[in-house]
Amino acid sequence: MTRVVIAPDSFKGTITAAEAAAALADGWREVEPAADIVLRPMADGGEGTVAAFATAVPDAQWMPVTVDGPAGAPVETSWLLLPSTTDAPGGTGVVDIASTSGIELLDGLRPGDADTTGFGQAIAAALDHGVSRLILGIGSSASTDGGTGMLTALGARFLDADGEPVARGARGLADIVTAELGALRGAPDVRVLTDVTNPLVGPRGAAAVFGPQKGLTAPEDIARVDDALARLAALLPVDPELPGTGAAGGTGA
């Protein structure tokens, strides 16, 4: 008997990896009905990441949650709870930015206002459940907010010169003077899934390379956001040259 392993990524903007795998399996069975077909849809940290884990890991549980989507509207989504193991007795939570703060959730690009709040809210839900490990997929983001929305949902505060919270998204980055991290939630073992090695700032950084995908196209706006991300890195602090920090509009940092 022929054994066939079908392991596609998604067809971006068309069908998910799981749907692609199922369609390929249907086609194969038409010509070889007796084949032993194994479906292993893949993902690169972007759309379909949670679904790929759900397919690959027996007894994984979908955990529904409502979050603020990238434009602020409520989004019904889920994170995934993987079974307990010796090194993760509370289980592992899988959360992806695509299904919480992803670009596919927008009706139209929002380069100034889209943010990662929903991603942070889903992470908070996993932490509230008591997971021992987090796996975070950060592909297909809708924003260039440096992860400030995510961090705000987890307890951080980003304030302007008057001590007031800045606007959400890339629009508010340039106004950040203070980053208050004292109430930021602690996290367990965290693994971040990204398929890019771009730094946070510079000609290969989040604003310059990925900003235009999210609608940030004017050179002066790209330069402004790049400068703001550099200042944010100094406040957090993180190394803006670290590979992968430019992923997901700076959420990697």
Side-chain angles (χ1 to χ4, degrees):
M1 178 187 295
T2 304
R3 190 174 201 215
V4 182
V5 178
I6 299 178
D9 199 345
S10 64
F11 287 59
K12 198 172 185 72
T14 306
I15 56 175
T16 67
E19 291 168 337
L24 289 165
D26 289 343
W28 197 287
R29 289 190 182 101
E30 288 183 6
V31 296
E32 192 175 1
D36 175 20
I37 298 178
V38 180
L39 303 185
R40 290 293 183 265
M42 305 292 285
D44 60 4
E47 73 280 356
T49 294
V50 171
F53 272 93
T55 301
V57 180
D59 299 323
Q61 299 178 53
W62 290 95
M63 308 294 287
V65 63
T66 302
V67 303
D68 295 339
V75 170
E76 302 291 335
T77 187
S78 297
W79 60 277
L80 193 71
L81 177 62
L82 305 185
S84 300
T85 61
T86 302
D87 55 350
T92 295
V94 184
V95 189
D96 68 34
I97 206 169
S99 62
T100 54
S101 302
I103 196 167
E104 288 86 1
L105 300 176
L106 291 175
D107 292 331
L109 297 178
R110 303 282 294 270
D113 303 316
D115 80 335
T116 54
T117 296
F119 187 42
Q121 291 169 335
I123 293 170
L127 293 175
D128 288 342
H129 188 80
V131 298
S132 301
R133 176 183 294 148
L134 284 170
I135 297 176
L136 307 178
I138 59 171
S140 303
S141 69
S143 65
T144 313
D145 75 341
T148 52
M150 173 193 68
L151 292 173
T152 298
L154 293 170
R157 300 181 74 217
F158 297 95
L159 309 176
D160 63 17
D162 296 321
E164 297 295 324
V166 301
R168 285 186 173 191
R171 190 180 312 281
L173 285 179
D175 296 325
I176 296 175
V177 172
T178 303
E180 292 187 353
L181 307 178
L184 186 63
R185 296 186 63 164
D189 178 18
V190 178
R191 315 289 175 88
V192 179
L193 308 182
T194 175
D195 66 341
V196 302
T197 57
N198 299 68
L200 180 62
V201 297
R204 294 185 60 250
V209 174
F210 304 113
Q213 298 174 358
K214 310 174 202 313
L216 194 70
T217 54
E220 61 272 20
D221 291 336
I222 291 172
R224 175 181 56 81
V225 173
D226 188 68
D227 288 343
L229 288 171
R231 292 194 298 276
L232 176 65
L235 289 172
L236 287 178
V238 296
D239 178 1
E241 298 300 322
L242 189 68
T245 51
T251 305

